Amino acid sequence: RVSAIEAFRANILHFTDNPDPMTGAGIEYFEDGVLLVEQGRVKALGDAQTMAAAGFDLQSCQHFPDQLIMPGFIDSHIHYPQTSVIASYGEQLLDWLNNYTFPSEARFSDAEFAAQAAREFLQLLLQNGTTTAMVYTTVFAQSTDAFFTAAAQMNLRMISGKVMMDRNAPDYLLDTPESSEQDCRALIERWHQQGRQLYALTPRFAPTSTPEQLAVAGKLYAQYPGLYLQTHLSENLQEIAWIKQLYPNARDYLDVYDQYGLLGPRSVFGHGIHLSDEEVARLAQTGSGIAFCPTSNLFLGSGLLDMARLEAAGVPVSLATDVGGGTSFSQLRTIAEAYKVLQLQGQNLHPLKGFYMATLGNARALQLDHCLGNFAPGKEADFIVINQGATPLQRLRQSSTLTVAEKLFALMTLGDEHNIAHTYVMGKKMFSRTAAEGSLSW
Ligand code: GUN
Ligand code: ZN
């Protein structure tokens, strides 16, 4: 019988709040659950046997025995043009940008190339179970247009924007305050809040923008409701020393952005590793968020994020891959590396907290929890089916786990994209691991 409602049966996990592993508050887990989706949105979630007793026909379900359904992962900081320079050897931030990143970004002046790269990047996200991301493009407006075009074709909810950068980078990558204003306005009017797309003003970081350009960003931020802002903050000690030279009148790094009106609840600052108490307090006061990028911070030797300090101060902390400074598209890998970064500081990341961060926590940090992050009725049905035993070693380890937390901890510690069996976007299957993954052309 044809029905507008689709049903998916599996182990199902989602979060209704920041979890308390001691009491179970905030965690909803069904050992045998059913997720109902209608017209791309969550209709209901329940226990299979309870629903069957109430007359629901379990035969109508697509059944994934022993697999785990959870909301699609959200990545709060990633660079699509850096896909091909992931895993480039030997440098810290400033040399890494000059030697690898900037040359790679130059190719995105070609709209055809950018369109192909955007499609392949989005496929990589889906293969990794990530259904929403906050994405840097390049300085070229056509690369941003190509990105949104690809995201809209796949009906993915994405936050993105054109990089603004008018100094301290190669000439071929520079815009001007005037051209960036024009380009941003055109892109905002074309893409912001069109379908699932959202626009983020994207001054790369204070060293590559003049004060005049940051003022343009501040003016636009104040002018268009619902815009986001993304940039980098206090990632690397040499970068911070450079800020002191470039902006001698600023109290600190964050104050540079503050002076131009760039702080607020839709502002997401990448890294924020080396912050003063004043900066932490000001982030909290303005509701500005930090994107924690553990694989990048370790790979580029940037430092260890003191997450407990930020959370104690009330700063929203989201979880991000930061590819290509980051070394994996997988939020499973990212949770595992976050755990290790915190271990080195005597802190801890409970697995339930880690999976919360990658789903509802990031949705909240990106002000998207009204439409994403869990299976509350009416939310957009972006979800993944996870195979918890994708390798012989994983199956061995999982066979001796007892609790959900133990299973999740083994999954995050040993897992990667190979654990993502299927990825659904607005209820539609957009990736299956059994299908050919295709090849990358760039
Ligand atoms: N700071 C300025 N640009 C970048 C970038 O592309 N990656 C990282 N990790 N840090 C940055
Ligand atoms: Zn970054």
Side-chain angles (χ1 to χ4, degrees):
R1 211 187 66 194
V2 181
S3 158
I5 297 180
E6 280 203 275
F8 303 89
R9 180 179 176 193
N11 307 327
I12 302 182
L13 173 71
H14 76 151
F15 298 91
T16 56
D17 203 347
N18 194 352
D20 180 346
M22 293 297 288
T23 65
I27 305 154
E28 215 172 13
Y29 179 72
F30 298 91
E31 183 67 34
D32 185 7
V34 175
L35 174 67
L36 298 181
V37 174
E38 186 175 36
Q39 295 192 337
R41 292 178 184 271
V42 175
K43 173 90 171 160
L45 177 65
D47 171 71
Q49 301 313 324
T50 309
M51 288 170 68
F56 177 75
D57 176 12
L58 288 179
Q59 297 303 320
S60 69
C61 294
Q62 293 182 53
H63 194 191
F64 303 100
D66 296 326
Q67 306 212 352
L68 174 65
I69 287 180
M70 70 172 77
F73 295 138
I74 298 173
D75 185 340
S76 66
H77 181 128
I78 186 165
H79 299 256
Y80 103 83
Q82 295 176 14
T83 304
S84 65
V85 295
I86 193 170
S88 293
Y89 172 78
E91 309 287 2
Q92 290 212 349
L93 175 65
L94 300 177
D95 292 321
W96 178 83
L97 287 173
N98 286 321
N99 294 342
Y100 302 117
T101 306
F102 291 155
S104 166
E105 293 187 6
R107 301 169 73 186
F108 288 75
S109 61
D110 176 346
E112 292 289 311
F113 176 83
Q116 177 72 11
R119 288 190 292 268
E120 293 181 0
F121 169 85
L122 292 170
Q123 288 298 339
L124 282 165
L125 288 185
L126 295 178
Q127 288 167 19
N128 281 273
T130 296
T131 47
T132 286
M134 191 156 178
V135 181
Y136 288 66
T137 64
T138 70
V139 74
F140 305 110
Q142 57 270 37
S143 76
T144 314
D145 208 53
F147 179 78
F148 278 129
T149 299
Q153 274 168 1
M154 294 164 73
N155 200 23
L156 290 165
R157 188 173 280 289
M158 290 285 151
I159 307 173
S160 187
K162 184 199 103 74
V163 169
M164 304 167 80
M165 174 154 75
D166 66 349
R167 64 168 167 175
N168 291 321
D171 286 348
Y172 57 79
L173 283 182
L174 296 183
D175 57 10
T176 67
E178 297 72 30
S179 74
S180 64
E181 176 169 355
Q182 274 182 13
D183 286 348
C184 288
R185 281 189 193 283
L187 287 164
I188 290 164
E189 278 157 25
R190 177 145 191 219
W191 291 110
H192 183 53
Q193 296 173 341
Q194 295 303 307
R196 302 186 82 193
Q197 309 312 312
L198 295 162
Y199 195 85
L201 294 163
T202 310
R204 177 174 217 115
F205 66 156
T208 50
S209 284
T210 59
E212 293 71 32
Q213 187 170 56
L214 292 182
V216 166
K219 182 170 74 175
L220 295 172
Y221 205 21
Q223 232 171 56
Y224 292 93
L227 280 190
Y228 288 81
L229 179 126
Q230 59 182 345
T231 188
H232 296 85
L233 171 71
S234 285
E235 176 178 8
N236 170 287
L237 296 175
Q238 283 172 287
E239 170 203 14
I240 296 166
W242 197 19
I243 289 287
K244 290 204 172 83
Q245 293 172 12
L246 291 170
Y247 290 93
N249 298 323
R251 189 181 65 179
D252 49 44
Y253 196 160
L254 185 67
D255 189 47
V256 175
Y257 298 131
D258 205 356
Q259 284 179 9
Y260 296 100
L262 304 182
L263 277 54
R266 270 189 292 276
S267 297
V268 179
F269 295 93
H271 311 293
I273 300 170
H274 311 283
L275 297 172
S276 67
D277 289 343
E278 290 73 25
E279 288 174 296
V280 172
R282 185 68 184 140
L283 286 169
Q285 192 180 45
T286 56
S288 305
I290 291 292
F292 177 18
C293 310
T295 73
S296 171
N297 297 162
L298 295 171
F299 181 73
L300 294 175
S302 303
L304 305 176
L305 185 84
D306 186 345
M307 188 166 103
R309 175 188 182 220
L310 292 171
E311 291 201 323
V315 177
V317 179
S318 57
L319 190 70
T321 63
D322 192 31
V323 166
T327 53
S328 173
F329 279 78
S330 170
Q331 283 290 41
L332 296 175
R333 295 286 294 266
T334 304
I335 300 168
E337 296 309 287
Y339 175 85
K340 296 173 193 172
V341 164
L342 299 184
Q343 278 283 54
L344 283 167
Q345 303 172 88
Q347 298 173 24
N348 236 297
L349 183 64
H350 193 280
L352 287 160
K353 175 71 185 286
F355 283 88
Y356 163 77
M357 287 182 77
T359 56
L360 182 63
N362 274 6
R364 285 178 169 177
L366 300 183
Q367 309 278 309
L368 293 173
D369 50 307
H370 62 285
C371 58
L372 286 179
N374 65 13
F375 295 135
K379 289 207 186 182
E380 296 166 357
D382 293 351
F383 62 95
I384 55 182
V385 181
I386 296 181
N387 172 5
Q388 295 168 271
T391 67
L393 180 64
Q394 289 179 9
R395 289 191 285 277
L396 173 73
R397 180 66 185 89
Q398 289 292 359
S399 71
S400 62
T401 56
L402 296 173
T403 65
V404 174
E406 282 177 335
K407 287 182 191 304
L408 292 174
F409 189 65
L411 173 66
M412 74 189 219
T413 302
L414 299 175
D416 59 21
E417 70 267 36
H418 298 100
N419 295 84
I420 308 301
H422 308 283
T423 302
Y424 288 79
V425 176
M426 297 286 287
K428 188 170 164 218
K429 185 153 62 179
M430 294 291 284
F431 168 72
S432 270
R433 185 145 302 275
T434 47
E437 281 168 50
S439 60
L440 303 175
S441 70
W442 54 307

